[in-house]
Amino acid sequence: MQRRPSAHVREGNQDVRDVRTLGIDPDHDTAAVIEALLSRHLAVRREEAARSSDRFAEDVIDLLADVVLRGGKRMRPAFLWWGWRGCGGEPRGAGAEATLKVATALELIQGCALIHDDLMDGSLLRRGAPAAHVAFANQHRAAGLRGNPDAFGVSAAILAGDLALVWADDLFETAGLDGRARRAVAPAWQAMRTETIAGQYLDLYGQGTGVDSPEESLRVAYLKSGLYTVERPLHLGAAMAGADPDLIAALRRAGRSAGVAFQLRDDLLGVFGGAGRTGKPAGDDIRDGASTYLVAIALQRARAHGRHEAERQLRAALGNRDLRAGELQEIRDLLTGLGAVAAVEARIGQLTASALTALEQAELAPPADQRLSFLVREVAAPTEG
């Protein structure tokens, strides 16, 4: 029997108390439900924070809400929801409501990751607007505050990212999971947060060491993004639905392949996509010196074919913050000419096929079987320009 949240929980979370009041069918439009729950939750938390400090609410929470609510496909909540539905979870009722609240919490973890990732990479844009640390620095300048605006922006962005992570945990804790679901899902929830931070650190470390092993770059891609984008959301949904270990293992296999395919696609867009498609400046991954699978394959091929000048040119571009548009185009041509782009596309195709096979073998309840297959294809597909 699914336990209803305590009176204390209901009073403290009126924003996400009853999904039925939204009037949206999560099977029909999962993203719209998550968007509404997220907006309500942030509004309530802002009101709470404003009682302590209007300045904190206006400066930090309003910016955090803008980052979280501006754009985003809500992929992670969708994978969690359809993992729940595919393993027998009901589309409505107390269990469904608790599941949707946990799914909403994933978007706050994503908000934390975006803010901190942009800060570590020195990215200026996110989803077509100034990255959080840049926006905070701009606030500092506009207010005429003392001190260094950029240092202020860095510190404030760290706090905003931390707040998103804290609020994600708060939402998970008050989601209304019954005892059985909570015991089943807690280890995956705990592991996911550590894995995400580990992946971010390895990505940061790789920029310093210049890791150029394709397999090592895949491991970083898996930890940094693949796990918490697809595999863990599927795991969370299945665990909450009471799936047996074999079914959870099958879903995790599918999620592992799809998650890495997603990150490899993101790596391609980071070089070839541009701000109009990604919301970030073109070539940021090259300027940041990111040790991606794309770059690692290109370096491996350059060495194998004795193309020493191509290897030198590529290494010189990595981490060069002053790389001009024409020089970036030369790197794009180099990556294509070395066959690295084709190799990444082939790997994406293999991973997608593996994920779809694992989903088929899982024999999920409809309509989740078809919806998850669609989602896997969507996260791995090229983004239209």
Side-chain angles (χ1 to χ4, degrees):
M1 180 71 68
Q2 188 81 18
R3 177 176 59 81
R4 296 295 296 176
S6 67
H8 172 73
V9 169
R10 290 198 300 270
E11 181 181 353
N13 285 275
Q14 293 177 2
D15 57 316
V16 290
R17 178 180 58 200
D18 190 351
V19 176
R20 290 171 296 179
T21 64
L22 299 175
I24 308 170
D25 178 3
D27 274 2
H28 177 70
D29 196 342
T30 312
V33 173
I34 298 301
E35 195 83 15
L37 291 176
L38 195 56
S39 297
R40 286 188 182 187
H41 184 65
L42 289 168
V44 169
R45 298 312 299 266
R46 186 196 190 284
E47 184 179 347
E48 293 172 356
R51 297 187 194 119
S52 300
S53 168
D54 285 333
R55 172 58 56 202
F56 176 63
E58 291 173 9
D59 290 359
V60 178
I61 297 175
D62 286 354
L63 192 145
L64 172 60
D66 180 61
V67 170
V68 174
L69 295 173
R70 179 179 10 101
K73 296 180 179 179
R74 315 304 179 204
M75 292 183 301
R76 294 160 187 85
F79 277 111
L80 189 152
W81 176 251
W82 288 111
W84 157 267
R85 294 284 286 115
C87 295
E90 296 294 332
R92 57 189 59 85
E97 292 190 9
T99 298
L100 287 165
K101 293 168 192 175
V102 174
T104 303
L106 289 179
E107 286 300 289
L108 290 168
I109 291 182
Q110 169 71 345
C112 168
L114 294 179
I115 291 171
H116 285 171
D117 190 53
D118 287 342
L119 177 59
M120 289 185 289
D121 290 344
S123 298
L124 301 180
L125 290 176
R126 170 62 65 178
R127 294 174 175 171
H133 61 285
V134 177
F136 279 122
N138 292 340
Q139 285 182 9
H140 184 286
R141 293 187 183 93
L145 302 179
R146 291 181 296 177
N148 185 308
D150 294 329
F152 175 87
V154 167
S155 299
I158 292 171
L159 293 175
D162 289 350
L163 184 64
L165 186 59
V166 168
W167 281 1
D169 240 17
D170 290 347
L171 189 48
F172 174 82
E173 291 293 334
T174 58
L177 295 169
D178 66 17
R180 194 264 333 145
R182 187 178 181 81
R183 288 190 297 273
V185 81
W189 177 262
Q190 293 169 3
M192 176 183 65
R193 292 171 298 160
T194 301
E195 291 158 353
T196 303
I197 294 171
Q200 288 281 16
Y201 176 75
L202 290 176
D203 184 45
L204 184 67
Y205 189 81
Q207 292 178 29
T209 61
V211 171
D212 54 9
S213 160
E215 294 312 311
E216 177 64 16
S217 67
L218 279 182
R219 188 171 77 92
V220 174
Y222 171 60
L223 282 172
K224 179 185 176 184
S225 182
L227 256 170
Y228 95 101
T229 296
V230 187
E231 181 179 343
R232 286 302 188 190
L234 284 174
H235 185 181
L236 291 168
M240 284 187 282
D244 64 51
D246 288 342
L247 181 52
I248 289 176
L251 282 174
R252 291 193 64 183
R253 284 195 299 273
R256 187 174 302 117
S257 294
V260 175
F262 163 77
Q263 184 57 49
L264 295 187
R265 175 61 62 198
D266 194 62
D267 291 345
L268 284 172
L269 290 173
V271 177
F272 294 90
R277 300 171 71 183
T278 66
K280 297 179 68 176
D284 253 16
D285 279 358
I286 299 297
R287 295 187 180 94
D288 294 339
S291 297
T292 64
Y293 182 70
L294 172 66
V295 168
I297 284 289
L299 290 170
Q300 183 185 68
R301 286 171 174 256
R303 290 192 300 270
H305 294 90
R307 296 186 56 179
H308 305 301
E309 177 57 26
E311 181 181 2
R312 185 207 62 77
Q313 186 179 354
L314 184 52
R315 290 191 184 278
L318 292 172
N320 180 4
R321 302 297 302 180
D322 298 320
L323 197 68
R324 296 188 296 271
E327 294 169 323
L328 175 61
Q329 186 56 51
E330 290 179 6
I331 296 301
R332 287 170 170 164
D333 293 341
L334 194 60
L335 292 170
T336 302
L338 286 167
V341 174
V344 174
E345 289 286 5
R347 192 64 177 260
I348 291 172
Q350 294 164 1
L351 289 165
T352 303
S354 176
L356 292 172
T357 298
L359 286 177
E360 184 179 351
Q361 292 172 345
E363 298 182 352
L364 300 170
D369 52 352
Q370 294 300 315
R371 295 301 291 269
L372 281 174
S373 294
F374 172 80
L375 283 171
V376 165
R377 291 187 178 94
E378 186 176 40
V379 298
T383 301
E384 293 298 328

